[in-house]
């Protein structure tokens, strides 16, 4: 009788099938290996061993170029936003910026002249109005078209609302007043003059990073092949100052990424250089500002640091220049006498300016200040004992004396206060306001 089920394979056939399938089963199980070595399976057949692969090398990334300014020409005037300008120096003089911020923000509610709108308006034109005068001049538009005609007009005026004020001429008209930029290898704009101006405008309430400004293209290096070649050219042509706020060397990678003061709320700001502030306040006392080479004030600052390090000038720590010293101590007057002998306070901010200015002025025109820059090329003013009343020396002494004066005349009317007075009060008190430590 025959069975209805399929005939079973013979034992011999099963052994042959098992032998044929064993290598495939071992391959599927990675050759039968485990963590203890090669027992029980040996190496997988060469025909099914995994092939080695070469790691893929990613293509180097080329930063996207800013195409907006690639075709600009040297001498061309362009309108940009402050946030588009890249710094070429690491630090600024904070007190120079504090002077601007203190003066530009007059107190609309100041009680000093609350009962005298004429004097109050005069005060506002000297403070808030100065902001618009400076902006118009720095943008190549001369000064304001006119002073504020009313307190309401002064209140309404804002830098970021051009219809609320007017410059005498259109921005960009007077190109000699404009700050300068270089178009970089990446198409971005690198600022070579105006770090303090644009940092001040960036910090003011009606300014900020998006405020429109006008600049002049000094050079276009967008044909330079890479960043290293671009920065080497900038260094060779003295278009960058690669030192930090303590005057220590830095690399281009350590430059700040934006203009404006350093802040815990926003990364990338600029450091403080105290000697850069000091040199600013010696302007028109020890040197004249017009026609100076780029970064001239840093060159003077470097020289003053070396004089202090050599014991020929007191270091800044010998003076009371900031809190916790009292404002009256910081602003104590200090002016050389007619014979140029130091007079007045010896440890105030004004004394630091006086001592630095006398050292700077004592140089001969041919004395080297930094590298191949001599004192004459950096604007040095020669101060002369017992000089006549209309002499540069008398003007320099008057300028120093005015640095610390307040903004009220003896008859109670407003006047232009000193740069140090604004800077010191702003650093200590913030913006001018009634009830604050400004004194009203």
């Amino acid at each position: 009788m025959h069975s209805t089920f399929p005939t079973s394979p013979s034992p011999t056939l099963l052994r042959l099938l098992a032998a044929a399938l064993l290598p495939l089963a071992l391959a599927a199980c990675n050759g039968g290996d485990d963590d203890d070595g090669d027992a029980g399976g040996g190496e997988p057949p060469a025909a099914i061993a995994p092939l080695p692969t070469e790691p893929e090398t990613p293509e180097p990334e080329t930063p996207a170029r800013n195409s907006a300014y690639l075709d600009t020409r040297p001498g061309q005037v362009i309108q940009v936003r402050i946030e588009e300008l890249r710094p070429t120096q690491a630090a600024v003089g904070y007190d120079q910026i504090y002077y601007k911020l203190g003066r530009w923000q007059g107190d609309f509610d100041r009680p000093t002249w609350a009962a005298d709108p004429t004097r109050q308006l005069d005060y506002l034109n000297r403070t808030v109005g100065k902001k618009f005068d400076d902006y118009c001049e720095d943008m190549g538009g001369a000064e304001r078209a006119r002073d504020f005609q009313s307190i309401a007009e002064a209140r309404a005026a804002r830098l970021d609302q051009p219809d609320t004020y007017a410059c005498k001429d259109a921005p960009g008209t007077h190109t000699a007043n404009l700050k300068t930029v270089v178009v970089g290898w990446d198409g971005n704009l690198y600022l070579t003059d105006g770090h303090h101006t644009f940092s001040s405008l960036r910090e003011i309430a009606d300014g900020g990073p998006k405020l429109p400004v006008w600049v002049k293209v000094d050079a276009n290096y967008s044909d330079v092949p890479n960043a290293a070649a671009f920065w080497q050219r900038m260094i060779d042509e003295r278009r960058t100052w690669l030192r930090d706020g303590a005057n220590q060397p830095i690399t281009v990678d350590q430059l700040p990424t934006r203009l404006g003061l350093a802040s815990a709320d926003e990364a990338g700001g600029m450091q403080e250089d105290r000697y850069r502030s000091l040199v600013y306040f010696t302007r028109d006392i020890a040197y004249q500002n017009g026609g100076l080479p780029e970064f001239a004030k840093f060159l003077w600052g470097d020289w003053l640091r070396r004089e202090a390090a050599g014991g020929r000038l007191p270091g800044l720590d010998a003076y009371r220049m900031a809190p916790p010293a009292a404002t009256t101590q910081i602003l104590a007057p200090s002016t050389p006498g007619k014979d140029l002998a130091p007079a007045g306070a010896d440890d105030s901010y004004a004394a630091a300016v006086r001592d630095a200015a006398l050292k700077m002025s004592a140089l001969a025109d041919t004395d080297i200040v930094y590298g191949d820059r001599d004192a004459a090329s950096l604007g040095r003013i020669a101060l002369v004992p017992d000089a006549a009343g209309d002499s540069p020396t008398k003007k320099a002494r008057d300028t120093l004396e005015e640095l610390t004066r307040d903004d009220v005349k003896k008859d109670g009317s407003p006047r232009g206060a000193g740069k140090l007075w604004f800077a010191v009060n702003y650093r200590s008190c913030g913006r001018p306001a009634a009830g604050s430590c400004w004194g009203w």
Side-chain angles (χ1 to χ4, degrees):
M1 179 179 292
H2 297 284
S3 171
T4 58
F5 291 95
T7 304
S8 298
S10 68
T12 301
L13 179 59
L14 290 173
R15 287 196 298 272
L16 291 173
L17 289 171
L21 294 173
L22 178 60
L24 297 177
L26 291 175
C29 297
N30 195 25
D33 283 352
D34 58 25
D35 291 339
D36 294 327
D38 60 357
E43 294 295 326
I48 60 172
L51 296 175
T53 58
E54 292 290 335
E56 293 185 5
T57 302
E59 292 292 329
E61 293 186 5
T62 301
R65 304 181 84 200
N66 181 358
S67 61
Y69 307 110
L70 292 178
D71 296 328
T72 55
R73 305 176 306 279
Q76 186 173 344
V77 175
I78 54 177
Q79 179 186 341
V80 301
R81 301 182 307 278
I82 289 178
E83 65 186 357
E84 295 182 86
L85 302 172
R86 307 290 181 90
T88 57
Q89 65 191 51
V92 288
Y94 276 27
D95 285 336
Q96 178 176 342
I97 292 173
Y98 290 156
Y99 153 61
K100 294 290 187 179
L101 297 179
R103 181 165 187 177
W104 288 352
Q105 300 184 86
D107 180 6
F108 287 98
D109 300 315
R110 181 170 175 171
T112 310
W113 301 290
D116 190 338
T118 300
R119 287 185 170 180
Q120 183 83 332
L121 181 60
D122 182 14
Y123 158 72
L124 293 174
N125 271 308
R126 293 173 182 272
T127 53
V128 178
K130 175 66 172 171
K131 173 178 62 178
F132 295 95
D133 286 332
D134 288 350
Y135 179 78
C136 288
E137 181 178 357
D138 290 329
M139 299 309 116
E143 66 274 9
R144 281 180 296 165
R146 64 172 192 172
D147 285 351
F148 298 131
Q149 302 300 297
S150 68
I151 294 175
E153 183 182 345
R155 282 185 180 275
R158 290 184 58 93
L159 288 174
D160 54 6
Q161 296 178 12
D163 59 339
T164 63
Y165 67 96
C167 299
K168 183 177 179 181
D169 298 315
T173 300
H174 304 280
T175 59
N177 294 344
L178 296 174
K179 309 307 179 184
T180 52
V181 297
V182 167
V183 181
W185 71 284
D186 52 4
N188 289 317
L189 301 177
Y190 291 85
L191 189 66
T192 56
D193 176 42
H195 291 79
H196 288 78
T197 293
F198 294 130
S199 289
S200 300
L201 290 170
R202 195 185 193 279
E203 296 292 331
I204 200 75
D206 55 341
K210 297 189 181 303
L211 183 71
V213 294
W214 282 257
V215 294
K216 180 171 62 176
V217 177
D218 199 37
N220 187 329
Y221 295 156
S222 59
D223 58 343
V224 173
N226 53 50
F230 167 71
W231 282 110
Q232 189 59 56
R233 186 165 184 176
M234 294 285 284
I235 293 168
D236 292 344
E237 296 180 358
R238 302 179 182 181
R239 296 180 187 269
T240 183
W241 180 252
L242 294 178
R243 291 182 179 270
D244 64 14
N247 204 41
Q248 296 302 303
I250 61 171
T251 66
V252 296
D253 294 332
Q254 294 172 290
L255 286 169
T257 57
R258 64 169 178 84
L259 297 169
L261 308 181
S263 168
D265 299 327
E266 183 182 8
M270 306 187 74
Q271 300 175 25
E272 177 175 15
D273 185 332
R274 296 174 67 201
Y275 275 91
R276 177 60 181 76
S277 292
L278 178 68
V279 172
Y280 172 71
F281 293 118
T282 66
R283 174 178 170 176
D284 297 327
I285 303 170
Y287 72 95
Q288 294 173 328
N289 195 49
L292 300 184
E294 303 287 7
F295 308 108
K297 299 179 186 67
F298 284 107
L299 306 187
W300 277 121
D302 179 89
W303 182 81
L304 290 171
R305 279 182 163 98
R306 284 184 275 119
E307 290 296 292
R312 297 177 295 276
L313 179 72
L316 295 187
D317 290 342
Y319 302 96
R320 303 182 183 192
M321 302 175 68
T327 301
T328 53
Q329 294 173 317
I330 300 171
L331 292 175
S334 180
T335 308
K338 190 174 182 181
D339 59 356
L340 299 187
D346 286 326
D347 61 353
S348 65
Y349 206 144
V353 176
R354 176 200 67 193
D355 294 346
L358 289 174
K359 289 291 294 185
M360 294 162 70
S361 172
L363 290 172
D365 279 348
T366 56
D367 285 341
I368 295 299
V369 175
Y370 185 97
D372 60 352
R373 303 291 194 188
D374 60 25
S377 70
L378 297 180
R380 172 249 183 184
I381 297 174
L383 301 181
V384 181
D386 302 315
D390 59 349
S391 66
T393 299
K394 178 60 166 62
K395 293 177 182 177
R397 292 176 57 234
D398 289 345
T399 299
L400 179 53
E401 185 177 358
E402 291 169 1
L403 283 178
T404 60
R405 75 180 185 186
D406 62 24
D407 62 350
V408 183
K409 294 180 182 179
K410 291 181 179 179
D411 65 1
S413 62
R415 68 179 175 186
K419 293 178 179 179
L420 269 181
W421 185 83
F422 279 114
V424 168
N425 277 290
Y426 187 87
R427 181 185 280 271
S428 300
C429 312
R431 63 179 298 173
S436 69
C437 59
W438 281 81
W440 59 77

